[in-house]
Amino acid sequence: MGQEERIQKAYRGLGGKRTFYDGMITCSTLSGRAVCSLVWEMGRAETQDYLCAALSGIPEGFSGRLLEVPVGTGILTMPLYREMPEAEITCLDYSLEMLERAKCRGEGLSHVRFQQGDVGGLPFGDGSFDIVLSLNGFHAFPDKEAAWREIVRVLRPGGTFCGCFYVRGQNRRTDWLVRRLYVPKGWFTPPFETAESLWHRLEETFGPAKVRTVQGIASFVCRKAKEKHP
């Protein structure tokens, strides 16, 4: 079984018309709250906390070019994009099922386009975007080094990279369940950053960075240096 088929299989059903994934990612349904509590030791307030921190890198009234990768089912960002009609937004995901769900949720948003693709080989030119947003995706990417390189490449100098994802070392229960359940299922792919290693990577790769952890999730906002570091 090839890499693409493994990833599609891992997420098949999670991004469909069923609401389990959406309820889990937003901590808004009975089953979703149960997962958030068991795996992440979070409630709705903590979930909103880390998401707000991740999205704080997008200024009010933003009218530039934004890439979201991965978009997932779009449940976290389509409401926000409805308030950004002047922006040019590209939503990319590797999972066709997730992408179809996002398209349905983003119906009528003419300034948002959807594209299937691999973060390890983004089909965009250098410096194409003012903001790159990545919510709950990096822990799933199979080739994280390629993902880092590609995001740096497509983000313009002075642009913002923001988002959130799982980091190890913050919650023992979460770490155990990720290792014993999420990795074998193919939902998450090691290696994983710690909060400290993430901060160092962002600072060295982009520039000044803010990292905030809520249980096992790290939210971050950083700006790409206008000139390369010496």
Side-chain angles (χ1 to χ4, degrees), residues 71-189:
V71 67
T73 66
I75 192 169
L76 298 176
T77 50
M78 290 309 129
L80 175 64
Y81 296 160
R82 291 187 184 278
E83 305 300 319
M84 299 163 52
E86 301 302 317
E88 297 178 25
I89 299 168
T90 301
C91 297
L92 184 140
D93 205 291
Y94 201 72
S95 166
L96 290 172
E97 194 168 358
M98 290 281 192
L99 197 62
E100 285 304 313
R101 183 63 173 161
K103 285 181 181 178
C104 290
R105 188 165 271 122
E107 187 175 358
L109 298 179
S110 60
H111 62 295
V112 180
R113 69 185 183 103
F114 300 87
Q115 186 168 341
Q116 196 272 343
D118 184 356
V119 68
L122 293 172
F124 311 113
D126 296 356
S128 294
F129 298 96
D130 303 296
I131 295 177
V132 176
L133 171 67
S134 185
L135 299 174
N136 297 312
F138 251 91
H139 47 234
F141 295 155
D143 189 342
K144 295 178 176 59
E145 294 305 320
W148 284 113
R149 289 194 299 270
E150 283 294 273
I151 286 172
V152 172
R153 183 182 66 79
V154 303
L155 184 64
R156 70 164 176 81
T160 298
F161 178 41
C162 56
C164 58
F165 55 81
Y166 162 70
V167 289
R168 61 182 175 84
Q170 297 294 306
N171 186 302
R172 292 181 63 184
R173 183 199 295 177
T174 300
D175 291 345
W176 188 88
L177 286 167
V178 166
R179 187 170 62 251
R180 297 291 185 174
L181 177 63
Y182 281 50
V183 171
K185 285 286 187 181
W187 297 332
F188 288 10
T189 305

Side-chain angles (χ1 to χ4, degrees), residues 14-59:
L14 291 180
K17 292 184 179 179
R18 287 174 285 179
T19 60
F20 176 75
Y21 178 85
D22 288 349
M24 176 181 62
I25 208 73
T26 58
C27 195
S28 60
T29 62
L30 183 61
S31 59
R33 289 193 295 272
V35 172
C36 287
S37 177
L38 174 65
V39 178
W40 303 99
E41 295 191 36
M42 287 188 197
R44 187 72 183 273
E46 290 84 2
T47 301
Q48 292 298 313
D49 192 20
Y50 83 73
L51 286 173
C52 285
L55 294 170
S56 66
I58 305 175

